[in-house]
């Protein structure tokens, strides 16, 4: 693709990472499967002459995805991993070493906490969790050996917004690295590197896929930090599989359209749920009365289809009756696919820097691509079951 700074995001999604002239005119880069790469001469293998040298270090299919994502994210480079969590572990291992101190938002994706408290702790990295609303106050938590700060906006399940630019300014002034889990927004809604993020992580399993049928992660970084990211990726050989890369490339081309639909439907459903008598409050930064709304309006170009709901107190049996009878909302982990999902959640067991006492059961919704009238009718029937069992 001929790079043009005036091209919009949708145009970049369609054309980035594609060069039909290199594949006999076919539109899409084919799937390259393989481990061994042959060299034509002794001199070529001795000096590693050639773009590719082994399957784990890259293929044309992988390059098509990572080059497209690098352009979309405004990064210096990207690596593709087998899952979102793998992408995050690459980011963390690239940024910290034994004896370092790491700050992680208390609202982080729970498997991230498990990696920090398990693997990183065993390798001599100390993790401290902080209030996600701290903003520039992060300065008071930094130590001489604080090497990195992990942010996630909005927070996993609890949906607190973080002032990422304010945090980045403080962290950079102290020589630290800012890592962000940007899965909720993708670079289409929040350009991480423009906002001061050094290393950005995306679970492409979600909106990049769009089909609930692949596992893949992406770790992008600016020019200062990408060499460390690439070295870490190469040391672990955490390369995504060729079929999943191909599916991610296919999803990339329509991601802007799908994300727009998810966001509009999600906000409509959030507003509808906010008016329900069974609902205590809705956790969605796009709602004007959300505590993080001002930050969201300033820094984000829109919303995705994921948000939370806190129900008014009711018996657990009533909650089960509501969820068990839903027809259109599946109960399952992950999100970002074409189908709507709901899961119950409770942050209290693992929060350490902040308390979680919302006053009722928590539900996390992902709004898919169904007709919202049908989704409302499904939930209406569910609320009727909840009331009958209360």
């Amino acid at each position: 693709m001929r790079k043009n700074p005036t091209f919009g995001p949708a145009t970049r999604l369609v054309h980035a990472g594609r060069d039909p002239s290199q594949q006999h005119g076919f539109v899409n880069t084919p799937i390259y499967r393989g481990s061994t790469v042959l060299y034509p001469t002794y001199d070529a293998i001795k000096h590693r002459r050639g773009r590719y040298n082994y399957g784990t270090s890259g293929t044309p299919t992988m390059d098509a995805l990572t080059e497209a994502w690098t352009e979309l994210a405004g990064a210096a480079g990207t690596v593709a991993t087998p899952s979102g969590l793998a992408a995050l572990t690459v980011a963390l291992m690239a940024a910290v070493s034994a004896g370092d101190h790491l700050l992680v938002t208390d609202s982080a994706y729970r498997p991230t906490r498990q990696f920090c408290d398990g693997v990183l702790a065993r390798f001599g990295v100390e993790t401290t969790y902080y209030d996600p609303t701290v903003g520039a106050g992060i300065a008071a938590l930094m130590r001489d050996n604080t090497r990195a700060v992990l942010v996630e906006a909005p927070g996993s399940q609890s949906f607190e917004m973080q002032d990422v630019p304010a945090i980045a300014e403080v962290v950079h002034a102290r020589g630290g690295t800012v890592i962000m889990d940007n899965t909720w927004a993708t670079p289409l809604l929040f350009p991480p590197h423009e906002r001061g993020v050094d290393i950005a992580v995306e679970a492409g399993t979600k909106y990049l896929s769009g089909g609930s049928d692949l596992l893949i992660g992406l770790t992008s970084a600016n020019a200062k930090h990408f060499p460390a990211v690439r070295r870490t990726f190469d040391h672990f050989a955490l390369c995504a599989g060729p079929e999943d890369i191909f599916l991610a490339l296919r999803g990339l081309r329509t991601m802007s359209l799908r994300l727009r639909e998810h966001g509009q439907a999600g906000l409509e459903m959030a507003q509808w749920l906010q008016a329900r008598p069974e609902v205590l409050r809705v956790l969605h930064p796009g709602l004007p009365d959300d505590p993080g709304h001002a930050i969201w309006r300033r820094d984000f170009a829109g919303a995705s289809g994921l948000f939370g709901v806190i129900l008014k107190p009711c018996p657990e049996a009533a909650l089960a009756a509501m969820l068990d009878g839903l027809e259109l909302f599946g109960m399952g982990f992950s999100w970002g696919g074409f189908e709507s999902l709901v899961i119950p959640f409770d942050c209290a067991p693992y929060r350490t820097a902040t308390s979680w006492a919302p006053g009722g059961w928590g539900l996390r919704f992902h709004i898919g691509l169904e007709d919202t009238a049908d989704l409302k009718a499904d939930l209406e029937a569910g609320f009727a079951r909840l009331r009958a069992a209360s």
Side-chain angles (χ1 to χ4, degrees):
M1 172 186 173
R2 180 177 59 85
K3 293 186 178 181
N4 187 326
T6 65
F7 286 158
T11 302
R12 293 181 181 183
L13 284 177
V14 170
H15 292 278
R18 290 198 303 113
D19 187 359
S21 68
Q22 297 300 308
Q23 54 242 11
H24 309 287
F26 285 97
V27 170
N28 293 305
T29 306
I31 298 175
Y32 282 78
R33 299 182 183 88
S35 55
T36 301
V37 177
L38 299 179
Y39 293 85
T41 64
Y42 168 81
D43 178 75
I45 195 169
K46 177 181 178 181
H47 298 287
R48 299 294 192 271
R49 303 190 195 281
R51 183 168 180 178
Y52 304 103
N53 59 76
Y54 194 70
T56 58
S57 62
T59 68
T61 317
M62 183 182 292
D63 284 352
L65 177 62
T66 56
E67 288 171 8
W69 195 263
T70 294
E71 182 177 342
L72 180 66
T78 302
V79 295
T81 64
S83 69
L85 181 58
L88 209 145
T89 62
V90 166
L92 289 168
M93 294 295 283
V96 296
S97 302
D100 287 347
H101 176 238
L102 170 68
L103 286 167
V104 175
T105 175
D106 208 27
S107 59
Y109 177 53
R110 192 174 186 182
T112 301
R113 301 176 72 104
Q114 294 168 339
F115 180 79
C116 293
D117 297 340
V119 176
L120 290 186
R122 288 196 294 111
F123 284 92
V125 176
E126 181 184 358
T127 300
T128 299
Y129 297 95
Y130 66 89
D131 185 333
T133 63
V134 71
I138 196 82
L141 303 177
M142 296 190 72
R143 308 174 187 172
D144 290 342
N145 65 332
T146 301
R147 295 291 176 262
V149 175
L150 176 66
V151 300
E152 182 175 348
S156 180
Q157 298 186 340
S158 49
F159 295 93
E160 299 95 338
M161 291 299 299
Q162 292 199 260
D163 193 335
V164 176
I167 292 173
E169 183 177 0
V170 171
V171 174
H172 290 157
R174 299 282 294 270
T177 301
V178 178
I179 304 169
M180 181 177 186
D181 186 335
N182 195 37
T183 302
W184 184 87
T186 81
L188 289 175
L189 303 181
F190 184 89
H193 302 295
E194 289 182 17
R195 301 285 189 264
V197 174
D198 299 302
I199 306 174
V201 173
E202 173 82 21
T205 304
K206 276 63 172 178
Y207 287 117
L208 177 58
S209 164
S212 300
D213 56 2
L214 69 88
L215 291 166
I216 197 165
L218 296 151
T219 308
S220 65
N222 57 23
K224 178 180 178 180
H225 292 84
F226 184 67
V229 167
R230 182 71 210 198
R231 282 195 304 273
T232 305
F233 171 81
D234 288 335
H235 290 164
F236 283 99
L238 276 175
C239 50
E243 283 80 9
D244 285 346
I245 293 172
F246 181 83
L247 288 173
L249 276 166
R250 186 172 67 177
L252 182 79
R253 310 307 176 191
T254 61
M255 188 170 69
S256 63
L257 300 176
R258 291 183 285 101
L259 194 58
R260 183 176 64 198
E261 293 297 318
H262 285 297
Q264 291 175 351
L267 189 57
E268 179 185 339
M269 294 300 296
Q271 293 167 336
W272 182 81
L273 283 161
Q274 194 174 39
R276 294 291 312 183
E278 303 87 356
V279 171
L280 186 63
R281 61 191 174 102
V282 176
L283 313 175
H284 191 309
L287 296 174
D289 59 351
D290 187 89
H293 182 70
I295 293 176
W296 176 80
R297 282 183 59 87
R298 184 194 69 191
D299 293 340
F300 286 69
S304 66
L306 192 76
F307 62 91
V309 167
I310 305 301
L311 299 178
K312 291 178 180 177
C314 69
E316 189 171 12
L319 174 68
M322 172 192 175
L323 297 179
D324 287 349
L326 292 174
E327 294 185 74
L328 301 179
F329 287 87
M331 284 187 285
F333 298 105
S334 196
W335 40 274
F338 50 80
E339 79 287 10
S340 291
L341 298 170
V342 61
I343 60 166
F345 73 90
D346 181 12
C347 303
Y350 56 88
R351 288 292 183 99
T352 56
T354 55
S355 61
W356 177 254
W361 299 105
L363 296 176
R364 190 185 72 182
F365 285 94
H366 175 257
I367 305 303
L369 301 178
E370 303 93 339
D371 290 319
T372 53
D374 294 329
L375 296 178
K376 292 173 186 176
D378 195 23
L379 289 176
E380 176 70 64
F383 284 128
R385 292 190 298 274
L386 182 147
R387 293 193 301 271
S390 295

